[in-house]
């Protein structure tokens, strides 16, 4: 049985996924969800990620990457690796 090309989990993609899950878990464990305790540099990083995500999504038509935006509620430690996980999949 052949595996679908959309769901190829390369070692790098597995690292991105593990880091996204770790970031989500740490955000939930420390109670830093929905921007509680976020400092100015984290907010700037999140705005940069949203800008990058929106601009690149319109060019690449990788609409699944927009899931990164709600993931920001769990922090940049979850959203950035999640975006890299989604972005690293094959588009064809």
């Amino acid at each position: 049985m052949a595996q679908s090309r959309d769901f190829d989990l390369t070692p790098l993609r597995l690292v991105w996924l593990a880091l996204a899950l770790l970031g989500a878990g740490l955000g939930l464990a420390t109670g830093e969800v929905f921007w509680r305790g976020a400092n100015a540099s984290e907010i700037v990083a999140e705005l940069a990620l949203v800008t990058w995500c929106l601009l690149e999504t319109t060019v690449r038509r990788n609409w699944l990457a927009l899931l990164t935006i709600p993931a920001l509620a769990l922090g940049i430690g979850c959203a950035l690796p999640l975006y890299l996980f989604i972005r690293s999949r094959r588009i064809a």
Side-chain angles (χ1 to χ4, degrees), residues 61-75:
R61 307 262 188 242
N62 185 8
W63 305 115
L64 187 62
L66 293 176
L67 289 174
T68 302
I69 296 171
L72 282 168
L74 295 173

Side-chain angles (χ1 to χ4, degrees), residues 4-8 10 13 52-53 55-66 83-92:
S4 172
R5 296 185 127 210
D6 288 341
F7 297 106
D8 287 341
T10 63
R13 289 195 77 215
W52 179 26
C53 179
L55 292 175
E56 192 171 66
T57 298
T58 57
V59 172
R60 292 178 54 140
R61 307 262 188 242
N62 185 8
W63 305 115
L64 187 62
L66 293 176
Y83 180 73
L84 294 171
F85 172 75
I86 294 169
R87 186 181 185 277
S88 64
R89 76 179 178 95
R90 294 178 194 237
I91 301 174

Side-chain angles (χ1 to χ4, degrees), residues 18-38:
L19 288 173
L21 293 173
L22 179 64
L26 288 173
L28 289 170
T30 59
E32 295 177 4
V33 294
F34 297 111
W35 300 277
R36 283 193 195 114

Side-chain angles (χ1 to χ4, degrees), residues 40-54 72 76:
S41 65
E42 289 174 355
I43 292 172
V44 170
E46 290 175 354
L47 288 173
L49 180 60
V50 167
T51 304
W52 179 26
C53 179
L54 289 174
L72 282 168
I76 192 78

Side-chain angles (χ1 to χ4, degrees), residues 12-26 77-79 81-82:
L12 183 59
R13 289 195 77 215
L14 288 172
V15 168
W16 295 139
L17 182 59
L19 288 173
L21 293 173
L22 179 64
L26 288 173
C78 172
L82 177 64

